[in-house]
Amino acid sequence: MSCNGDCEHCPMKDSCKSGGVPDAMKEALHDIRDSMENVQHKVLILSGKGGVGKSTVTYLLAKMLSSGYRVGVLDADLCGPSLPYLFNAINEPLQQTSFGLFRS
């Protein structure tokens, strides 16, 4: 179960170890939810095994689609994100938050 920022109605509120979601994160989650409603098509590239080419397929698909469409990519690889290397964005700054690292 992922956090949607709505602590009041969360079924995990009694056992949540985060002590609640910061207001800034709640606002960001609501902004993301609102933005995603405007995304007409979403594609998930997923595998239960590492090293099968998910990042490469994601990169190639994004590059191909970007010739005619606006494309965004979310890399949720926790162990070794390779999309920054593929997109030649390895020097982009990371922002440290209590929920992890994010590219600005």
Side-chain angles (χ1 to χ4, degrees):
M1 170 178 252
S2 63
C3 180
N4 67 3
D6 184 9
C7 296
E8 184 178 333
H9 298 100
C10 180
M12 301 293 292
K13 68 180 174 184
D14 294 330
S15 61
C16 181
K17 295 193 186 327
S18 72
V21 178
D23 289 338
M25 183 57 74
K26 286 181 188 179
E27 290 176 23
L29 288 168
H30 290 293
D31 289 345
I32 291 169
R33 187 179 309 118
D34 292 344
S35 295
M36 290 302 288
E37 287 180 6
N38 296 322
V39 175
Q40 187 174 5
H41 301 286
K42 300 168 190 89
V43 177
L44 174 66
I45 311 240
L46 177 71
S47 171
K49 182 180 180 326
V52 295
K54 298 176 294 290
S55 294
T56 303
V57 168
T58 300
Y59 168 76
L60 293 171
L61 185 61
K63 291 299 264 187
M64 183 198 70
L65 291 173
S66 68
S67 65
Y69 301 95
R70 288 177 43 190
V71 176
V73 173
L74 168 66
D75 186 5
D77 189 340
L78 302 175
C79 296
S82 54
L83 283 174
Y85 294 97
L86 292 169
F87 281 104
N88 196 24
I90 57 174
N91 294 321
E92 295 293 322
L94 291 175
Q95 178 180 357
Q96 175 80 35
T97 71
S98 60
F99 291 91
L101 295 171
F102 296 94
R103 293 220 180 264
S104 305

